[in-house]
Amino acid sequence: MFTLANPPDGFTDDPFPHYDRLLRDTPVLPQPDGSVLICKHADLNAIYRDTTLYISDKRAAFAPKFGKDTPLFEHHTTSLVFNDPPLHTRVRRIMTSALTPKALARMEPGLIDVVDHLLDQLPENADLIEDFASVIPIQIIGNLLDVPLDERGPLRDWSLAILGALEPTLSAEQLVRGHAAVHEFTIYLQDLIARRKAHPGDPETDVLTRLIHGDDTGQLSESELIHNCIFILNAGHETTTNLIGSGLALLHDFPEQKESLSADPTLIDKAVEEVLRFRSPNQFGNRETTAEVVIGDVEIPAGTNLHLCIGAANRDPDVFENPAKFDISRHPNRHLAFAGGPHVCVGLTLARMEGRIALQHFLRRFPDYRIQPGRKGGGRIRFHGYAQLPARLT
C-alpha cells in the first residue's frame, strides 16, 4: 500500500506515475496513522470550499509532531495558512489590501529590474536555482516587507528549514533546524518591527507597516504579526522558486513547447499556468474533518487529518485531457496549484507575475540555454522543485 510516511523509492523526484495509479485505483486511501490521502480534483475542490466540515486548524496534528509550546508549533498554528476565521479573515484582509492590482502594477517595474539585474550577472555556467530562481522571490518579498538589502542573507535558509518541517516525516536534525530557524527569525523580526514602529514606511507599498497598523477591526498581537511575516516570506519563497525553476527545466525538456512560446510570446500566461499544473510547486495541502464524512465510498471519522494531493488532482483525467502531456496552449486549465475556496493563495497574482517575467526575460536573453547533467531534485514530498539546476548559457 502507498504510504506518505514511507513513499516508494524515487517518489520525491518523480511522484507522477504513483499519482496516476492512485487516481486510477485508490483515489481515497486511508493511511496507517489514521489520516487519509485524497487525490481526485472534484474532492479537493469540494473540500477547499467547505469550511464547516473541513478546517485548517492544525493544533491537534502539530502538537505531537512538533511538541506543544515549541517554536515550530507556535509558528505553524499562528500563521495564515493553518488558521480559520476570525484570525484568517483579519490577516488575509490586510494582506489582500496590500496586493491589489494597482499595487502589483507599481511593483512590476521593480520586479523587471531585479530579473534583468540577475540576468546581467549570470555566468556562462550557472545554477538556475541558486543564481536565479531562488533569488527573485527573496528580493520581491524583501521589498514587500522593506527588509534592508544587507539583512536578507539568512532569509532563504530560515524559510527552507521552517517549510521543511511540514514534510510527513521528520528527522531529529530537521526538527532542531526548524525550531532554530523560527527562533532566529523571530528575534530578527522583533528588531525589524521595533525599527518600523519608530520609523513607519508607506503603508501603500510597505506590507509590514500595514500589518503593524492593522485595520478597522484592530491590530494583530505581536505573535500574530511575527508569525504572519514569517508566513509571507515562506509562502512566497519556495513555491515561486519551484515555479521558475520547473518552468525553465520543462521548457528545456520539451523543446517543441519552447519553440511555440518563442514563436508566440503571448502564450506566456498559459505557459505559466501549465507549469503550475504539470509540476505544482506545492504538492499537498491539509484539512481536518469536523464530523464524519464519506468521500468516494470511504467513511472518514471526525477529527481525521486529510492529505490533499494537489499534484494528483492536477493530473485527473476527469478534468484534464491528456493530463500527462505538457502543453503550454492548454485551455481551460482549472488546476488547483493555488488551492481554492477561502484559503486560495493570497499571493497568486504576484506569483504569476514573478513566473511570467522571470521566464519571459530569461528566454529573451538566453533562448538556447542547455540544462547540463547534475540536476538535483529538492528531496521534498510536500514541495516539488529542484535544489540544483546546472545550465550552460549561450
Side-chain angles (χ1 to χ4, degrees):
M1 184 183 80
F2 177 90
T3 64
L4 272 179
N6 187 26
D9 289 344
F11 178 79
T12 54
D13 285 339
D14 187 13
F16 305 104
H18 303 284
Y19 293 161
D20 293 341
R21 283 192 288 275
L22 288 166
L23 283 163
R24 183 181 64 244
D25 301 331
T26 50
V28 182
L29 182 62
Q31 300 287 287
D33 64 357
S35 62
V36 179
L37 180 64
I38 312 289
C39 296
K40 295 292 290 182
H41 187 285
D43 291 333
L44 265 68
N45 201 33
I47 290 166
Y48 280 135
R49 295 175 190 285
D50 187 336
T51 57
T52 302
L53 284 177
Y54 308 100
I55 59 172
S56 299
D57 188 310
K58 304 297 289 185
R59 282 172 291 186
F62 285 164
K65 181 173 185 173
F66 300 137
K68 246 186 166 182
D69 302 320
T70 62
L72 281 170
F73 179 83
E74 182 181 4
H75 170 65
H76 284 305
T77 57
T78 308
S79 69
L80 183 70
V81 69
F82 294 123
N83 261 286
D84 295 302
L87 177 61
H88 177 268
T89 306
R90 290 167 56 213
V91 178
R92 186 181 179 91
R93 184 166 51 233
I94 297 170
M95 289 185 189
T96 302
S97 68
L99 295 172
T100 62
K102 183 179 177 182
L104 290 170
R106 282 200 304 265
M107 289 175 59
E108 185 161 344
L111 171 56
I112 291 171
D113 287 344
V114 167
V115 170
D116 286 344
H117 178 68
L118 290 172
L119 293 172
D120 289 340
Q121 294 185 316
L122 284 181
E124 186 173 355
N125 292 296
D127 182 334
L128 299 184
I129 303 303
E130 187 70 28
D131 299 330
F132 186 63
S134 69
V135 185
I136 295 168
I138 287 291
Q139 297 305 329
I140 298 309
I141 302 300
N143 291 346
L144 267 181
L145 296 174
D146 200 15
V147 177
L149 284 169
D150 60 354
E151 296 176 11
R152 297 180 186 183
L155 297 182
R156 185 185 181 206
D157 286 342
W158 285 337
S159 176
L160 291 173
I162 295 167
L163 287 178
L166 294 175
E167 289 292 281
T169 56
L170 296 176
S171 66
E173 182 186 357
Q174 284 175 307
L175 269 176
V176 168
R177 224 171 27 238
H179 288 315
V182 175
H183 177 69
E184 292 166 13
F185 207 163
T186 297
I187 290 172
Y188 171 73
L189 284 170
Q190 286 171 334
D191 176 64
L192 183 66
I193 289 165
R195 284 183 274 158
R196 196 61 45 82
K197 285 180 176 178
H199 304 283
D202 180 356
E204 289 295 315
T205 56
D206 176 8
V207 174
L208 179 53
T209 295
R210 187 182 287 261
L211 286 168
I212 291 170
H213 286 173
D215 61 12
D216 54 11
T217 65
Q219 292 179 305
L220 300 176
S221 69
E222 182 184 25
S223 175
E224 291 168 347
L225 177 59
I226 287 170
H227 290 294
N228 282 289
C229 285
I230 295 175
F231 163 75
I232 289 171
L233 171 77
N234 291 348
H237 168 239
E238 185 162 10
T239 50
T240 306
T241 298
N242 291 347
L243 166 60
I244 297 168
S246 293
L248 292 171
L250 286 167
L251 289 168
H252 170 272
D253 296 343
F254 295 88
E256 75 287 353
Q257 298 296 310
K258 181 159 77 80
E259 288 170 15
S260 295
L261 183 55
S262 297
D264 182 4
T266 65
L267 286 172
I268 186 61
D269 290 327
K270 287 182 180 177
V272 169
E273 297 307 307
E274 182 66 347
V275 174
L276 287 164
R277 181 196 74 85
F278 197 77
R279 289 283 188 272
S280 303
N282 184 11
Q283 293 281 301
F284 284 91
N286 295 92
R287 291 294 185 273
E288 186 175 299
T289 57
T290 61
E292 182 177 303
V293 297
V294 177
I295 303 178
D297 57 358
V298 178
E299 294 182 2
I300 301 174
T304 298
N305 183 30
L306 305 180
H307 306 284
L308 308 182
C309 189
I310 297 165
N314 283 345
R315 286 171 167 253
D316 188 338
D318 289 344
V319 177
F320 303 99
E321 184 179 353
N322 199 358
K325 180 182 179 183
F326 178 64
D327 178 7
I328 66 166
S329 64
R330 184 180 295 276
H331 183 78
N333 193 343
R334 297 186 294 274
H335 65 75
L336 294 172
F338 293 118
H343 273 270
V344 68
C345 175
V346 69
L348 81 173
T349 307
L350 176 58
R352 283 172 165 139
M353 185 170 78
E354 290 179 81
R356 168 175 57 82
I357 290 171
L359 295 178
Q360 205 169 39
H361 284 238
F362 185 95
L363 290 171
R364 206 176 285 158
R365 187 78 64 93
F366 302 111
D368 299 317
Y369 72 100
R370 301 294 301 170
I371 304 295
Q372 301 292 91
R375 68 175 82 183
K376 181 181 176 183
R380 305 280 189 93
I381 290 175
R382 187 180 182 103
F383 298 98
H384 187 78
Y386 292 97
Q388 296 173 5
L389 196 61
R392 184 170 181 82
L393 309 179
T394 56

